[in-house]
Amino acid sequence: MENYKFVGEKILMWYQIHKRILPWRDITDPYKIWVSEVILQQTRVVQGLEYYGRFIERFPDVHTLATADEQEVLKYWQGLGYYSRARNLHAAARSIETHFGGKFPEDYESLLKLKGIGEYTAAAIASFAFNQPCPVVDGNVFRFLSRLFAIDEPIDTSKGKKFFTELAVRLMDRRQAGLFNQAIMEFGALQCVPVSPDCGICTLAPHCLAKMQEKISEFPVKLNKPKIKEVYHYYFLVHSGEFIFLKKREGKGIWQNLYEFPSVESEIPLSFEDLVKCTDFQALFPGNACRPAHDTSLVFKLLIKNYKHVLTHRILYADFYEVSVENTSGVDKYKKIRQSEIGEYPIHRLMQSFMEKINK
Ligand code: SF4
């Protein structure tokens, strides 16, 4: 691989000219690098910028984050999705306070022990903040390397990940590991883009095997396509006088500890007649349990039907109903608030979309 040293050199030269100016660039504060990496895991840079700014302003260091209330941390994350990221940030900040005296650990192995920090994030922090020669191989790097060397090893297997990680190590200029990692990621993100890269202006075009073979669209190779599951949610904006009810989602899941309206979930679409027969529905509205499905004494107003919300491995379809009840025994276990207070609670993206629609 000695002959390929020029790859790193060319990428570093390209990076000096083309890199985006971002608040988490050219800094060595591991806390800020960590927050930015976690935000960018599932979020585009443009959207992430705004969240990063607000998050760092409110929680500027590990100590502030560690001593904050989880509900407030989730509130600052609201709209970004994948809330386990925020919960893990919070838990890891507490762990750094307790086990490392509030000082960010510098070595890769210690970073890996923190909640929510996997190999990728540990390598990013270790190399960007502490210039340690840990390769950072994200989707952009996989794509670029697989095309440059026309590698048909699938990137979504442990064997493939190991292969590409070792390749990145061999290309890396160890004296400037952090810079090299940022440069190769940026090169993949801006130059060797997923669809129709502009190879005509690419500094590595004369060496790119995928380009020479006219097979750019065939790389990277993936073995497994994620299975997408469909789930149907039926939400109820339940009024009792001036109050409404919010349910906190318990248990594991991407929306853990976030709030939403009382709901019924189903793996198949339900007509209203079928919905009324569900045990969960009858538990929410017990007065209707003994009546025939069509003879409900309550008036359910359908506000939004079949609202589609796409997650990585799921497609959600949601109906939102509004109903006023006198008998609140089915929803008394939930938080009773005024509708104007809903902004004080962290809600998930689907609920947020609904609130935006009805507020219009
Ligand atoms: S020539 Fe095209 S495919 Fe090859 S590295 Fe450059 S941008 Fe990517």
Side-chain angles (χ1 to χ4, degrees), residues 7-79:
V7 173
E9 288 165 8
K10 277 187 178 275
I11 289 171
L12 282 167
M13 277 165 57
W14 174 94
Y15 182 67
Q16 296 307 343
I17 299 165
H18 298 281
K19 70 176 174 186
R20 289 167 288 186
I21 307 297
L22 299 168
W24 50 83
R25 283 268 160 81
D26 302 321
I27 59 168
T28 51
D29 179 342
Y31 172 75
K32 290 181 180 161
I33 290 167
W34 173 45
V35 171
S36 72
E37 283 302 323
V38 174
I39 287 177
L40 294 178
Q41 276 167 17
Q42 310 277 353
T43 307
R44 286 176 298 114
V45 168
V46 179
Q47 191 195 6
L49 268 171
E50 188 194 324
Y51 278 87
Y52 173 84
R54 283 199 291 126
F55 197 90
I56 290 295
E57 196 180 337
R58 170 62 188 91
F59 311 109
D61 49 42
V62 171
H63 178 72
T64 318
L65 180 59
T67 48
D69 185 66
E70 188 191 75
Q71 187 155 317
E72 192 190 4
V73 177
L74 290 174
K75 191 73 197 142
Y76 271 79
W77 207 263
Q78 186 170 301

Side-chain angles (χ1 to χ4, degrees), residues 115-133:
K115 198 158 187 196
I117 296 193
E119 291 174 359
Y120 167 83
T121 311
I125 299 169
S127 66
F128 300 172
F130 306 115
N131 203 34
Q132 292 180 18

Side-chain angles (χ1 to χ4, degrees), residues 144 147 187 191-192 197 199 202 204-205 208 211 216:
F144 162 57
R147 286 174 176 169
F187 191 84
Q191 171 60 47
C192 197
C199 302
C202 178
L204 285 165
C208 178
K211 180 170 184 305
I216 290 165

Side-chain angles (χ1 to χ4, degrees), residues 1 145 149 151 162-171:
M1 195 52 65
L145 291 180
F149 297 108
I151 299 164
K162 189 163 176 282
F163 180 90
F164 281 96
T165 304
E166 285 171 2
L167 177 57
V169 171
R170 290 157 74 191
L171 294 174

Side-chain angles (χ1 to χ4, degrees), residues 19-301:
K19 70 176 174 186
R20 289 167 288 186
I21 307 297
L22 299 168
W24 50 83
R25 283 268 160 81
D26 302 321
I27 59 168
T28 51
D29 179 342
Y31 172 75
K32 290 181 180 161
I33 290 167
W34 173 45
V35 171
S36 72
E37 283 302 323
V38 174
I39 287 177
L40 294 178
Q41 276 167 17
Q42 310 277 353
T43 307
R44 286 176 298 114
V45 168
V46 179
Q47 191 195 6
L49 268 171
E50 188 194 324
Y51 278 87
Y52 173 84
R54 283 199 291 126
F55 197 90
I56 290 295
E57 196 180 337
R58 170 62 188 91
F59 311 109
D61 49 42
V62 171
H63 178 72
T64 318
L65 180 59
T67 48
D69 185 66
E70 188 191 75
Q71 187 155 317
E72 192 190 4
V73 177
L74 290 174
K75 191 73 197 142
Y76 271 79
W77 207 263
Q78 186 170 301
L80 265 181
Y82 303 95
Y83 291 85
S84 58
R85 294 183 292 170
R87 284 189 291 270
N88 289 341
L89 270 175
H90 190 226
R94 291 193 162 175
S95 177
I96 293 170
E97 279 284 285
T98 314
H99 302 297
F100 297 93
K103 190 173 175 297
F104 226 93
E106 295 189 11
D107 63 292
Y108 178 78
E109 297 302 331
S110 302
L111 287 164
L112 264 187
K113 288 186 186 138
L114 294 170
K115 198 158 187 196
I117 296 193
E119 291 174 359
Y120 167 83
T121 311
I125 299 169
S127 66
F128 300 172
F130 306 115
N131 203 34
Q132 292 180 18
C134 306
V136 180
V137 184
D138 69 353
N140 295 319
V141 177
F142 275 123
R143 182 174 59 252
F144 162 57
L145 291 180
S146 67
R147 286 174 176 169
L148 183 64
F149 297 108
I151 299 164
D152 56 10
E153 185 71 46
I155 61 169
D156 54 349
T157 62
S158 7
K159 186 169 164 238
K161 285 191 176 107
K162 189 163 176 282
F163 180 90
F164 281 96
T165 304
E166 285 171 2
L167 177 57
V169 171
R170 290 157 74 191
L171 294 174
M172 177 188 283
D173 179 347
R174 296 170 73 87
R175 291 163 306 170
Q176 37 188 350
L179 200 61
F180 171 85
N181 279 341
Q182 293 187 65
I184 195 169
M185 290 162 74
E186 191 79 333
F187 191 84
L190 299 185
Q191 171 60 47
C192 197
V193 295
V195 181
S196 308
D198 190 353
C199 302
I201 58 161
C202 178
T203 181
L204 285 165
H207 314 278
C208 178
L209 293 182
K211 180 170 184 305
M212 286 176 208
Q213 296 168 9
E214 297 183 358
K215 287 184 176 172
I216 290 165
S217 61
E218 291 178 30
F219 297 101
V221 173
K222 281 189 188 169
L223 204 60
N224 306 305
K225 283 198 176 146
K227 288 192 190 100
I228 306 284
K229 187 177 170 191
E230 294 188 334
V231 183
Y232 298 82
H233 291 251
Y234 301 88
Y235 285 105
F236 300 96
L237 171 51
V238 182
H239 296 275
S240 168
E242 57 187 320
F243 296 103
I244 63 164
F245 297 84
L246 276 188
K247 176 177 87 176
K248 187 176 184 180
R249 283 189 78 100
E250 308 286 355
K252 297 285 173 207
I254 55 164
W255 288 342
Q256 183 190 355
N257 292 350
L258 298 178
Y259 288 83
E260 61 181 12
F261 296 138
S263 66
V264 173
E265 283 180 34
S266 166
E267 292 188 353
I268 54 166
L270 301 173
S271 66
F272 188 70
E273 283 69 26
D274 292 334
L275 178 61
V276 172
K277 289 180 209 157
C278 288
T279 322
D280 289 349
F281 178 93
Q282 295 182 0
L284 286 175
F285 307 108
N288 292 277
C290 54
R291 296 168 188 271
H294 59 276
D295 182 22
T296 171
S297 59
L298 300 173
V299 178
F300 289 86
K301 185 177 168 195

